[in-house]
């Protein structure tokens, strides 16, 4: 006893020292080592039991519980059964004796430790584990403790971590499912009794004229019962603190239970009604008002607790909502839940003299609003299709409530979430109409008013004219994970809704949007009258602050509306081209006029009174007008294909005018945003529209001359690549609707060769300097030339890789010399990973797009050069010492080999042994034990391709021969290589990279489906691998934790 007392005092002293702010890190490490050594001693738990019952030091108690936790989860197999029995008996007694005085975090930790024992021993060695929990819940004194134990049990046993075998996980889930009905009955009883008790004792106040809680027609139609409506309008009871605490614990238990139990009759109507009653706490603004008026901290806490009960109840409802698999007998319950929850939606969107909808929503807890929005999203995405058919569910009235809820959201995030719900609804409606075309008009008529209202309001919300205060709050500088600003995200989500309404109601949508666009265009086109010439250039003579602000708002709106019009381009093409031709022509003519206007009066270079605001606005409008016109390139292509033989004047005029707008902008002096928009439009005209007359337009000839003139200043990289792609495509792509003999391939081939020759002049001269080292060229200058040339050539090849054979032939003829130069340069730059990376990117693109045109001998030469250069030393240098660029180089090399091994026929089969040898003897040993995922995915994909496309390299006999002999085994060749590959796959399953695991499992399943890789007929190989890996981890954990000398599993 004395030694236990002394140990406790020593431990308290150590703990106090460890957490003291003057203790050095070195001393903390010493203390940590002492504590770890003590915890590893056999019998240390007995001291910890004494410490727990004898100390009030939080640190000591937490340490002691950690010792128990480690013992139970990692060393339990090796603990003598007598000791286990004593621990199972002592810890619950300790909890019962001290649960009211222990700090909550110590109490919760002790509960978890006891549950951990149950996780290992229930029911075989700890048969009363769950019975004890039920008894705790049923005894009023220990109800909170029982609920904490229940929730912890649900968390730790129903969804255990990976330190249990699969069989034990399945056993625990089955044991818990057997208890569900009892548990749900207990929880229902607790919540009902507290509600009823406080409802009876609370006096019913007279209805407030401003409370807005009268039932109304919608409520009656929702609930189908005046008595139910009356019940829901009863005042919410005032709960004492203890009752609120118990209710919150019970709701937390339910939320976790609902996350894993299936929907069944165990979830009774009375339980659902009770949960719904508690959901009303979240939309009861009186409690929050009371706490703010009275000002006391106690009232404030009370108000927060009442709100929290509403949040927890909505969490329970949402867990049920998220289940897509609904048994027939449960559908009626769901309908009742929807009816009840939409009563709440009506309540929180009610307007009256005292409240606007927005002020009511602002008064509610933000978390409650989030939960409510989650409910609406789940309702629309998971359940709308089954509920819409119920005649007693008023879907149109629900949409009216959702509309009010959406457009009165107090936060931007809340509004985004509601737009997502509308997007889901519009998707549902679109797919419903596509599957039931006969009912299309009836369905649309039912929802038409709601959709038009939605479209108008969403369009208003993106315009400064109607929504300036909110829009100015949006950040337009900081990029999120999707590389867009808050403003861009707001606009994109809004335009998705506009586009989806356009798909359903094209005429309405166009007639709503176009007049608004027209109004803003008039302002922009009218700016010319305010342009004056000054000494330094042209200036916009609008200087009054108010005028500048109005112009700023109008330009921002025009930019957004141009994006909207561009987003709708897809709804004017295809089958509806003729029906909607006039509308589309009106749009395109306006866009062509606007782009030309912007380029002619050079608004992007004009001086303004507020240059930091108006100049970016003017540039953005010009760029967006070009982008919007580009969106109509598919419409222009369809227009051209339908009229080019009869009456091409109109399309020639549109394309020529668009080019007049583009060409002045293709200059290194123009702002990049505007320059790139012009380049993208040029690419679309050359690639998508492809008119035969394009090359004859003087403006296009001008661009050819500029790009091939070495004295002209080079465009920025992105723009240079785009312009070169456009010019190459003008010459390479077949003209639509013309026979082969009218394609003028000979002339176009000569012109393309001249274009490529001019673009690669400097690059081709590098060959001599690589072969003759004495002619030194500065390395950095050389790298720039290589980068600039290969980025252009790679893009040109990529853009025609899916085109006709003739286009690819001409392309390769033009590129042939540059490709040979690249191969000659490659060895000289093998140690410059940035250059090697770009060269391999180029070769990979060549292999993917032009390998037939390159021919077998030259392709073999390239592969052999690469195999010779990538020695084991070079691979190790790239992977281990050159960081991400070096790894990228190896990955691209492996991708090239993937293309090679997939090639049908016998041409590249001689390379298989070298490729497999490179993989297994040179690359695999370097990466096998590295934790980094670099290179692994590409290597295993290459190995899979080797097996998938070259099975007969390993198994010679034909399927017919196997059938005739009546045996499953095939004659095997190259067995050592096959075994090495399969071992590498097997080893990958024991590594922590889950993505690699998933990828490789898919590869093996594919091989099994096609080649019967596994000869035994297992129920499911995938399932068995999952079990094996899980159990391997479990046994490894057990072995690591057993005392020395124990027999290992």
């Amino acid at each position: 006893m004395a030694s236990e007392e002394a140990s406790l005092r020593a431990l308290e002293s150590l703990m106090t020292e460890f957490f003291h702010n003057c203790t050095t890190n070195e001393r903390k490490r010493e203390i940590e080592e002492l504590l770890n050594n003590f915890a590893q001693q056999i019998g240390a738990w007995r001291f910890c039991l004494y410490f727990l019952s004898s100390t009030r030091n939080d640190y000591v108690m937490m340490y002691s519980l950690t010792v128990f936790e480690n013992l139970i989860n990692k060393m339990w197999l090796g603990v003598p059964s007598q000791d286990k029995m004593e621990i199972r008996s002592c810890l619950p007694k300790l909890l019962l004796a001290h649960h009211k005085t222990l700090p909550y975090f110590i109490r919760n930790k002790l509960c978890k430790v006891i549950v951990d024992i149950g996780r290992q021993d229930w029911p075989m060695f700890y048969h009363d584990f769950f019975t004890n929990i039920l008894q705790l819940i049923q005894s009023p004194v220990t109800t909170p403790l029982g609920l904490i134990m229940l929730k912890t049990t649900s968390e730790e046993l129903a969804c255990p971590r990976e330190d249990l075998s699969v069989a034990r996980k399945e056993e625990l889930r089955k044991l818990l499912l057997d208890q569900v009905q009892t548990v749900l009955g207990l929880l229902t009883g607790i919540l009902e009794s507290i509600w009823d008790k406080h409802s009876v004792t609370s006096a019913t106040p007279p209805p407030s004229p401003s409370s807005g809680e009268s039932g109304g027609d919608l409520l009656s139609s929702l609930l189908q019962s005046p008595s139910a409506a009356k019940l829901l309008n009863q005042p919410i009871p005032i709960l004492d603190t203890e009752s609120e605490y118990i209710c919150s614990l019970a709701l937390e238990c339910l939320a976790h239970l609902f996350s894993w139990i299936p929907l069944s009759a165990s979830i009774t109507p009375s339980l659902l009604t009770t949960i719904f009653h508690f959901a009303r706490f979240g939309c009861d603004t009186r409690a929050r008002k009371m706490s703010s008026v009275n000002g006391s901290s106690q009232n404030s806490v009370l108000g927060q607790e009442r709100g929290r009960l509403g949040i927890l109840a909505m969490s329970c409802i949402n867990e049920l909502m998220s289940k897509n698999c609904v048994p027939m007998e449960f559908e009626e319950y769901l309908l009742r839940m929807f009816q009840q929850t939409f009563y709440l939606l009506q309540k929180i969107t009610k307007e009256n003299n005292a409240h606007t909808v927005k002020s009511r929503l602002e008064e509610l807890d933000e978390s409650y609003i989030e939960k409510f929005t989650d409910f609406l999203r789940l309702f629309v995405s998971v359940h709308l299709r089954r509920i819409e058919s119920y005649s007693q569910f008023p879907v149109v009235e629900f949409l009216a409530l959702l509309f009010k809820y959406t457009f009165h959201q107090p936060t931007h995030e809340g509004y985004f979430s509601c737009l997502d719900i509308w997007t889901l609804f519009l998707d549902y409606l679109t797919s419903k109409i596509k599957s039931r075309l006969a009912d299309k008009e009836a369905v649309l008529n039912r929802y038409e008013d709601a959709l038009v209202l939605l479209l108008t309001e969403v369009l208003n919300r993106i315009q400064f004219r109607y929504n300036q205060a909110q829009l100015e709050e949006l950040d337009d500088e900081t990029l999120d994970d999707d590389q867009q600003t808050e403003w861009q995200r707001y606009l994109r989500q809004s335009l998705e809704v506009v586009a989806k309404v356009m798909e359903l109601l094209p005429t309405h949508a166009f007639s709503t949007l176009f007049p608004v666009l027209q109004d803003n265009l008039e302002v922009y086109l009218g700016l010319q009258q305010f342009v004056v010439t000054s000494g330094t250039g042209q200036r916009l003579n609008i200087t009054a602050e108010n005028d500048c602000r109005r112009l700023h708002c109008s330009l921002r709106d025009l930019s957004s509306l141009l994006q909207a019009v561009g987003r709708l381009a897809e709804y004017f093409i295809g089958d509806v081209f003729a029906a909607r031709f006039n509308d589309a022509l009106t749009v395109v003519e306006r866009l062509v006029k606007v782009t030309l206007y912007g380029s002619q009066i050079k608004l992007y270079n004009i001086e303004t009174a507020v240059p930091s605001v108006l100049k970016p606005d003017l540039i953005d409008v010009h760029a967006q007008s070009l982008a919007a016109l580009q969106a109509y390139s598919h419409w222009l292509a369809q227009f051209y294909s339908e009229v080019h033989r009869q009456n091409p004047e109109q399309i020639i005029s549109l394309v020529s005018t668009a080019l007049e707008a583009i060409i002045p902008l293709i200059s290194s002096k123009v702002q990049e945003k505007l320059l790139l928009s012009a380049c993208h439009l040029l690419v679309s005209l050359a690639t998508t529209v492809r008119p035969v007359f394009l090359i004859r337009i003087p403006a296009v000839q001008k661009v050819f001359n500029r790009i091939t003139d070495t004295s002209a200043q080079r465009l920025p990289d992105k723009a240079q690549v785009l312009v070169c792609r456009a010019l190459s495509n003008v010459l390479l792509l077949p003209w639509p609707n013309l026979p082969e003999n009218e394609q003028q391939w000979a002339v176009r081939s000569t012109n393309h060769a001249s274009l490529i020759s001019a673009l690669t002049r400097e690059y081709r001269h590098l060959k001599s300097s690589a072969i003759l080292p004495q002619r030194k060229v500065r390395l950095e200058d050389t790298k720039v030339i290589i980068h600039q040339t290969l980025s252009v050539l790679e893009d040109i090849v990529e853009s025609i890789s899916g085109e006709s054979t003739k286009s690819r032939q001409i392309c390769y003829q033009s590129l042939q010399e540059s490709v040979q130069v690249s191969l000659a340069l490659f060895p000289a730059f093998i140690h410059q990973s940035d250059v090697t990376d770009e060269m391999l990117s180029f070769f990979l693109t060549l292999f993917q797009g032009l390998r037939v045109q390159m021919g077998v001998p030259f392709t073999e030469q390239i592969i052999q050069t690469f195999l010779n250069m990538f020695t084991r030393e070079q691979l190790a240098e790239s992977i281990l010492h050159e960081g991400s660029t070096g790894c990228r180089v190896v990955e691209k090399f492996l991708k090239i080999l993937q293309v090679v091994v997939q090639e049908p026929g016998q041409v590249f089969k001689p390379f298989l042994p070298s490729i497999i040898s490179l993989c297994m003897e040179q690359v695999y040993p370097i990466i096998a034990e590295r934790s980094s995922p670099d290179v692994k995915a590409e290597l295993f994909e290459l190995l899979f391709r080797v097996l998938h496309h070259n099975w007969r390299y390993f198994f010679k006999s034909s399927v017919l021969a196997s059938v005739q002999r009546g045996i499953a085994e095939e004659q095997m060749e190259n067995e050592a290589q096959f075994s090495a590959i399969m071992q590498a796959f097997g080893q990958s399953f024991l590594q922590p990279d889950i993505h690699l695991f998933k990828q490789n499992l898919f590869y093996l399943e594919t091989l099994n489906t096609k080649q019967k890789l596994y000869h035994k007929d297992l129920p499911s190989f995938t399932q068995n691998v999952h079990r094996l890996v899980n159990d391997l981890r479990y046994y490894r954990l057990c072995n690591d934790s057993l005392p020395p000398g124990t027999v290992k599993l």
Side-chain angles (χ1 to χ4, degrees):
M1 194 70 189
S3 68
E4 284 180 339
E5 177 70 27
S7 298
L8 176 56
R9 297 293 158 252
L11 182 57
E12 286 176 341
S13 169
L14 276 176
M15 284 298 190
T16 307
E17 183 185 356
F18 185 88
F19 287 102
H20 196 280
N21 55 13
C22 295
T23 308
T24 65
N25 286 338
E26 194 175 338
R27 175 60 181 152
K28 283 187 177 184
R29 277 194 292 274
E30 287 172 12
I31 296 171
E32 210 170 343
E33 199 172 330
L34 283 169
L35 297 175
N36 287 339
N37 290 340
F38 175 77
Q40 294 302 318
Q41 290 175 20
I42 295 169
W45 65 269
R46 290 188 183 279
F47 282 90
C48 291
L49 203 56
Y50 171 76
F51 299 160
L52 283 168
S53 56
S54 308
T55 187
R56 285 291 157 263
N57 184 309
D58 292 351
Y59 299 135
V60 170
M61 285 192 275
M62 194 53 101
Y63 169 73
S64 303
L65 288 171
T66 306
V67 172
F68 272 110
E69 192 175 40
N70 193 55
L71 178 79
I72 294 157
N73 288 328
K74 296 185 176 177
M75 301 159 73
W76 201 238
L77 279 172
V79 176
S81 57
Q82 194 62 39
D83 288 6
K84 288 182 183 178
M85 207 180 304
E86 195 176 336
I87 292 168
R88 284 195 295 263
S89 166
C90 291
L91 287 180
K93 285 177 185 170
L94 190 72
L95 179 64
L96 265 178
H98 298 290
H99 72 95
K100 290 202 168 175
T101 55
L102 287 171
Y104 75 93
F105 55 91
I106 301 289
R107 178 204 60 205
N108 291 358
K109 183 81 166 178
L110 180 51
C111 288
K112 182 186 174 297
V113 167
I114 294 168
V115 170
D116 282 343
I117 300 173
R119 204 169 67 117
Q120 303 281 353
D121 291 356
W122 177 57
M124 184 71 73
F125 305 110
Y126 193 177
H127 60 89
D128 56 353
F129 164 69
F130 208 85
T131 320
N132 289 348
I133 294 175
L134 297 179
Q135 286 171 352
L136 288 173
I137 293 171
Q138 287 166 298
S139 167
V141 185
T142 55
T143 299
L145 182 62
L147 292 171
I148 291 165
M149 286 290 290
L150 176 63
K151 182 178 174 230
T152 310
T153 301
S154 179
E155 290 168 346
E156 297 298 324
L157 273 63
C159 317
R161 297 179 303 279
E162 289 179 339
D163 53 355
L164 284 183
S165 69
V166 172
R168 178 60 176 158
K169 286 180 182 178
E170 290 168 355
E171 181 190 15
L172 284 173
R173 182 167 280 239
K174 188 173 181 302
L175 286 164
L176 283 176
L177 281 171
D178 292 342
Q179 302 290 337
V180 161
Q181 195 160 356
T182 309
V183 167
L184 292 181
L186 275 177
L187 294 172
T188 307
I190 289 169
L191 292 168
E192 279 183 349
S193 63
I194 290 176
W195 183 277
D196 293 344
K197 176 185 167 189
H198 291 79
S199 294
V200 171
T201 55
S202 64
T204 306
S208 157
S210 64
S211 66
E213 294 193 11
S214 60
D217 294 338
L218 176 59
L219 183 56
S220 303
S221 65
L222 278 174
L223 297 177
Q224 298 289 298
S225 155
S227 61
K230 187 177 176 186
L231 181 70
L232 292 169
N233 277 324
Q234 288 181 350
I236 294 173
I238 306 290
L239 305 184
D240 58 78
T241 309
E242 178 69 8
S243 298
E244 284 197 347
Y245 180 51
I246 290 171
C247 290
S248 68
L249 288 173
L251 290 167
E252 282 178 8
C253 285
L254 283 171
H256 197 274
L257 288 165
F258 289 164
S259 71
W260 62 269
I261 64 175
L263 295 178
S264 69
S266 303
I267 303 170
T268 60
S270 61
L271 174 55
L272 293 178
T273 303
T274 304
I275 293 170
F276 168 73
H277 277 315
F278 279 94
R280 288 172 60 199
F281 275 106
C283 55
D284 182 31
T285 57
R286 290 173 303 163
R288 290 168 71 91
K289 282 187 200 155
M290 216 170 51
S291 63
S292 62
V293 169
N294 297 344
S296 77
S297 59
Q298 187 177 351
N299 276 326
S300 178
V301 170
L302 184 70
Q304 287 168 2
E305 272 304 312
R306 286 167 70 91
R308 186 164 178 270
L309 288 177
I311 294 164
L312 291 171
M314 284 306 298
S315 295
C316 294
I317 292 168
N318 287 349
E319 285 294 350
L320 295 174
M321 287 297 93
S322 63
K323 297 179 190 296
N324 201 356
C325 183
V326 181
M328 284 293 289
E329 66 272 15
F330 202 80
E331 287 208 357
E332 196 180 329
Y333 293 2
L334 274 180
L335 179 61
R336 189 173 296 149
M337 281 178 69
F338 296 141
Q339 290 170 335
Q340 292 176 328
T341 315
F342 293 132
Y343 159 70
L344 289 185
L345 181 58
Q346 187 203 24
K347 186 178 171 184
I348 62 180
T349 55
K350 188 101 176 166
E351 279 185 277
N352 54 37
N353 298 334
H355 285 91
T356 62
V357 179
K358 188 165 185 177
S359 70
R360 186 182 286 275
L361 289 173
E362 279 170 346
E363 285 177 357
L364 299 182
D365 189 296
E366 201 172 305
S367 300
Y368 185 76
I369 294 286
E370 280 176 24
K371 294 288 180 192
F372 212 98
T373 305
D374 285 344
F375 168 82
L376 296 170
R377 180 178 51 78
L378 289 165
F379 170 70
V380 171
S381 61
V382 181
H383 301 287
L384 182 61
R385 60 191 162 77
R386 61 167 66 89
I387 294 296
E388 195 195 11
S389 57
Y390 282 82
S391 57
Q392 64 264 47
F393 190 82
V395 179
V396 175
E397 287 85 344
F398 156 64
L399 291 178
L401 290 179
L402 178 59
F403 183 87
K404 282 167 75 175
Y405 183 78
T406 300
F407 293 106
H408 291 96
Q409 282 294 313
T411 66
H412 293 308
E413 280 304 320
Y415 179 62
F416 287 152
S417 300
C418 290
L419 283 186
D420 281 340
I421 297 170
W422 283 104
T423 302
L424 290 166
F425 172 71
L426 293 166
D427 286 341
Y428 161 75
L429 213 52
T430 306
S431 62
K432 181 179 176 177
I433 286 168
K434 283 177 181 169
S435 64
R436 289 165 47 188
L437 285 172
D439 301 341
K440 180 177 179 180
E441 291 308 313
V443 173
L444 282 177
N445 288 341
R446 185 181 186 191
Y447 295 116
E448 184 178 302
D449 291 347
L451 296 182
V452 171
L453 205 59
L454 173 68
L455 174 71
T456 307
E457 192 57 38
V458 169
L459 279 176
N460 287 348
R461 287 301 174 107
I462 64 172
Q463 293 179 69
F464 281 78
R465 183 183 195 170
Y466 302 106
N467 194 27
Q468 183 171 355
Q470 270 195 304
L471 294 179
E472 283 184 341
E473 289 173 13
L474 294 170
D475 176 9
D476 197 20
E477 291 181 4
T478 314
L479 293 175
D480 63 13
D481 294 341
D482 297 323
Q483 295 302 299
Q484 56 184 4
T485 65
E486 191 180 29
W487 160 254
Q488 287 168 339
R489 181 184 165 203
Y490 181 93
L491 188 60
R492 183 181 57 79
Q493 284 191 250
S494 302
L495 295 186
E496 281 310 299
V497 173
V498 171
K500 287 176 190 296
V501 176
M502 174 79 181
E503 188 174 1
L504 292 162
L505 299 171
T507 310
H508 281 89
F510 185 75
S511 60
T512 304
L513 174 61
F514 194 71
V516 187
L517 173 70
Q518 192 75 340
D519 288 350
N520 285 281
L521 277 177
E522 294 308 321
V523 174
Y524 179 63
L525 294 170
L527 290 178
Q528 188 165 9
Q529 63 190 301
F530 296 102
V531 176
V532 295
T533 305
S534 64
T536 53
Q538 291 192 307
R539 185 167 53 80
L540 191 63
N541 195 20
I542 297 175
T543 53
E545 187 181 340
N546 197 39
D547 290 344
C548 288
R549 188 178 289 114
R550 281 171 53 215
L551 177 58
H552 166 64
C553 291
S554 178
L555 291 171
R556 288 291 299 267
D557 288 349
L558 177 55
S559 176
S560 302
L561 293 163
L562 284 165
Q563 289 177 65
V565 165
R567 178 65 187 81
L568 304 184
E570 65 184 278
Y571 303 115
F572 293 104
I573 56 175
D575 297 340
V576 297
F577 176 79
R580 298 185 197 157
F581 176 80
N582 289 330
D583 284 346
L585 182 62
T586 306
V587 171
V588 172
E589 285 178 339
R590 291 302 278 165
L591 291 174
V592 167
K593 179 181 178 184
V594 171
T595 52
L596 182 62
Y597 163 82
S599 296
Q600 281 180 336
I601 68 169
K602 293 187 169 56
L603 284 172
Y604 53 90
N605 270 343
I606 223 153
E607 289 179 28
T608 63
V610 197
S612 62
V613 176
L614 291 179
K615 187 158 186 174
D617 288 344
L618 290 164
I619 290 168
D620 194 49
V621 165
H622 200 164
Q624 295 300 348
S625 65
L626 291 160
L629 184 53
Q630 186 201 350
Y632 284 83
S633 54
H634 288 280
W635 182 86
L636 284 167
Q638 192 166 354
F639 186 19
Y640 175 63
S641 70
E642 298 201 5
V643 302
H644 77 107
R645 289 287 194 192
Q646 305 91 31
N647 183 22
E649 288 76 19
Q650 203 168 20
I651 185 76
I652 291 173
S653 169
L654 286 172
V655 172
S656 302
T657 312
L659 283 163
E660 281 180 55
I662 292 169
I663 303 312
L665 302 175
I666 296 181
S667 159
S668 51
K669 293 172 185 170
V670 172
Q671 294 88 347
E672 190 172 24
K673 182 176 190 175
L674 197 48
L675 167 61
L676 290 177
S677 291
C679 293
H680 280 294
L681 177 53
L682 180 63
V683 167
S684 290
L685 291 174
T687 309
T688 307
V689 187
R690 305 187 192 184
V692 68
F693 57 80
L694 199 61
I695 198 165
R696 296 196 297 271
I697 295 176
V700 176
Q701 297 284 349
K702 197 173 172 184
V703 181
F704 267 104
N705 295 337
R706 190 203 181 292
I707 284 295
T708 53
D709 180 3
T710 48
S711 63
Q713 190 175 356
R714 196 176 188 275
L715 295 172
D717 280 355
K718 281 184 187 174
Q720 182 81 7
V721 165
L722 288 168
V723 173
C724 292
R725 184 199 306 173
L727 298 180
S728 173
N729 285 354
V730 165
L731 297 169
L732 287 181
L733 300 183
W735 292 319
N737 308 310
L738 282 182
E740 194 69 9
N741 60 356
E742 292 181 35
Q743 292 287 346
Q744 301 177 25
W745 286 127
V747 179
R748 293 166 77 184
S749 176
T750 306
N751 289 338
H752 193 265
S754 303
L755 172 67
I756 299 298
S757 175
L759 293 174
T760 58
R761 191 174 291 112
E762 283 186 287
Y763 182 69
R764 286 179 289 111
H765 289 158
L766 292 177
K767 186 176 180 181
S768 55
S769 63
I771 296 165
L772 305 168
Q774 66 272 24
R775 291 181 58 195
K776 285 187 179 177
V777 178
R778 285 183 51 230
L779 183 61
E780 288 311 310
D781 291 348
T782 304
K783 282 186 176 183
V784 169
I785 294 168
I786 292 172
H787 164 73
Q788 289 179 343
T789 309
L790 291 185
S791 59
V792 166
L793 297 185
E794 185 182 333
D795 184 81
I796 286 173
V797 174
E798 204 170 320
S799 71
I800 58 98
S801 59
E803 294 296 335
S804 67
T805 304
K806 190 68 183 175
S807 298
R808 285 182 288 160
Q809 278 176 352
I810 294 172
C811 184
Y812 184 65
Q813 284 165 12
S814 304
L815 261 70
Q816 194 166 6
E817 187 184 346
S818 297
V819 175
Q820 287 167 345
V821 168
S822 301
L823 191 61
L825 290 176
F826 187 78
F829 290 94
I830 189 70
H831 298 294
Q832 305 285 333
S833 59
D834 52 345
V835 177
T836 321
D837 183 28
E838 293 192 284
M839 286 190 167
L840 283 175
S841 278
F842 176 51
F843 277 108
L844 177 59
T845 307
L846 283 170
F847 269 77
Q848 288 168 335
L850 298 178
R851 80 183 160 277
V852 174
Q853 285 69 35
M854 288 196 296
V856 172
F858 186 55
T859 307
E860 287 178 342
Q861 186 187 340
I862 295 171
I863 298 167
Q864 196 58 58
T865 302
F866 289 166
L867 288 171
N868 293 344
M869 295 310 301
F870 281 105
T871 60
R872 182 161 187 174
E873 294 71 27
Q874 181 57 44
L875 288 163
E877 180 188 327
S878 294
I879 296 170
L880 302 176
H881 304 301
E882 292 179 0
S884 58
T885 313
C887 287
R888 269 205 316 275
V889 166
V890 178
E891 285 170 351
K892 279 171 186 164
F893 174 43
L894 296 176
K895 275 179 184 285
I896 290 172
L897 296 179
Q898 286 168 22
V899 176
V900 171
V901 300
Q902 288 179 76
E903 191 67 20
Q906 296 300 311
V907 175
F908 297 125
K909 296 299 182 232
F911 284 108
L912 270 180
S914 305
I915 290 172
I916 297 171
S917 171
L918 174 102
C919 292
M920 300 314 303
E921 294 166 25
Q922 295 177 214
V923 180
Y924 182 68
I926 299 170
I927 65 164
E929 295 304 320
R930 291 184 84 221
S931 58
S932 165
D934 293 338
V935 183
K936 287 181 185 173
E938 299 302 343
L939 175 68
F940 280 105
E941 184 175 347
L942 174 54
L943 293 174
F944 164 66
R945 301 280 172 212
V946 166
L947 294 168
H948 191 51
H949 296 277
N950 303 277
W951 191 252
R952 296 192 61 195
Y953 175 75
F954 302 102
F955 298 97
K956 281 286 186 195
S957 62
S958 67
V959 176
L960 181 64
S962 295
V963 171
Q964 285 170 342
R965 287 202 304 272
I967 55 171
E969 288 80 11
E970 296 176 82
Q971 179 190 348
M972 192 171 185
E973 298 197 3
N974 301 301
E975 186 173 349
Q977 288 186 322
F978 182 81
S979 298
I981 292 171
M982 296 316 295
Q983 279 177 352
F985 272 101
Q987 189 64 33
S988 73
F989 293 130
L990 297 175
Q991 295 181 345
D993 186 341
I994 193 72
H995 300 293
L996 189 67
F997 185 107
K998 181 182 175 184
Q999 171 193 289
N1000 287 359
L1001 198 55
F1002 169 74
Y1003 289 158
L1004 294 185
E1005 283 284 80
T1006 306
L1007 289 170
N1008 187 43
T1009 305
K1010 187 182 176 192
Q1011 311 290 1
K1012 300 291 178 286
L1013 181 62
Y1014 329 121
H1015 293 293
K1016 294 190 181 74
D1017 184 21
L1018 297 173
S1020 163
F1021 174 76
T1022 311
Q1023 192 180 349
N1024 281 280
V1025 167
H1026 277 301
R1027 292 178 74 102
L1028 167 73
V1029 171
N1030 187 98
D1031 289 353
L1032 277 171
R1033 287 173 180 153
Y1034 168 62
Y1035 292 132
R1036 186 183 283 171
L1037 192 70
C1038 293
N1039 288 340
D1040 288 347
S1041 308
L1042 289 171
T1046 312
V1047 175
K1048 304 279 174 139
L1049 297 164

